[in-house]
Amino acid sequence: MTKQERYEALLPQIESLVSGEPDVIARMANVAAVLHEAFGFWWTGFYRVQGNELVLGPFQGPVACTRIPFGRGVCGTAWQRAETVVVPNVHEFAGHIACSSASNSEIVVPLLRAGEVTAVLDIDSKDFNTFDETDKHFLEQISIWI
Ligand code: SME
């Protein structure tokens, strides 16, 4: 199965998990679990905007940093730019926050509501170059449902 086919197979499952559930934490928790299980990522989770920081939300994987300032790290950069950031090699990203030394590539997708970033979806991989336009496309689609 290609990555695209795997995402296409997951979309109906994710849509049914989140539709009808009014609590954002519950939606985030199941989406993190589904993505993490399906792709075997190293870390899959959410940070929510709380004032001028991102605060750790539902996730799957090892213990992570709990607070990330605006504009800091890959997550804070995606928040500041209000756009997805794909990092093929985190060691070459200036300001990357290493919650885990095992992480080598990363994608961060902002969740937008009325033009405002309310949270970010952060996924880390132990491999280099894991994320591309296919991940960006499908994860942005999923982020609209959360
Ligand atoms: N690497 C992220 C921090 C969060 S952890 O990866 C879970 C960053 O640079 O923003």
Side-chain angles (χ1 to χ4, degrees):
M1 214 189 241
T2 66
K3 179 156 68 175
Q4 172 157 351
E5 287 166 345
R6 193 169 292 184
Y7 274 113
E8 281 167 351
L10 280 179
L11 284 184
Q13 188 192 346
I14 292 177
E15 191 175 18
S16 74
L17 276 171
V18 296
S19 66
E21 173 46 66
D23 187 275
V24 69
I25 299 290
R27 294 196 299 272
M28 288 176 168
N30 267 340
V31 168
V34 168
L35 291 173
H36 198 74
E37 288 277 321
F39 292 99
F41 295 132
W42 174 244
W43 194 94
T44 311
F46 293 88
Y47 283 90
R48 296 193 302 147
V49 173
Q50 310 260 295
N52 59 358
E53 291 179 314
L54 290 166
V55 180
L56 184 63
F59 72 95
Q60 299 274 316
V63 166
C65 332
T66 56
R67 287 171 190 269
I68 299 173
F70 182 73
R72 294 281 304 278
V74 185
C75 291
T77 301
W79 176 16
Q80 186 170 37
R81 293 183 190 165
E83 64 184 32
T84 298
V85 179
V86 176
V87 183
N89 178 351
V90 296
H91 311 289
E92 291 176 353
F93 186 94
H96 168 254
I97 300 166
C99 292
S100 158
S101 58
S103 173
N104 282 315
S105 61
E106 181 165 359
I107 185 169
V108 180
V109 179
L111 274 58
L112 290 152
R113 287 293 171 278
E116 292 288 309
V117 177
T118 57
V120 299
L121 167 59
D122 177 19
I123 306 180
D124 289 36
S125 169
K126 278 177 138 173
D127 300 321
F128 292 97
N129 303 305
T130 296
F131 306 103
D132 56 22
E133 282 298 312
T134 302
D135 300 279
K136 178 177 185 292
H137 171 78
F138 286 102
L139 295 173
E140 286 178 353
Q141 172 62 57
I142 292 164
S143 76
I144 293 167
W145 295 335
I146 295 163

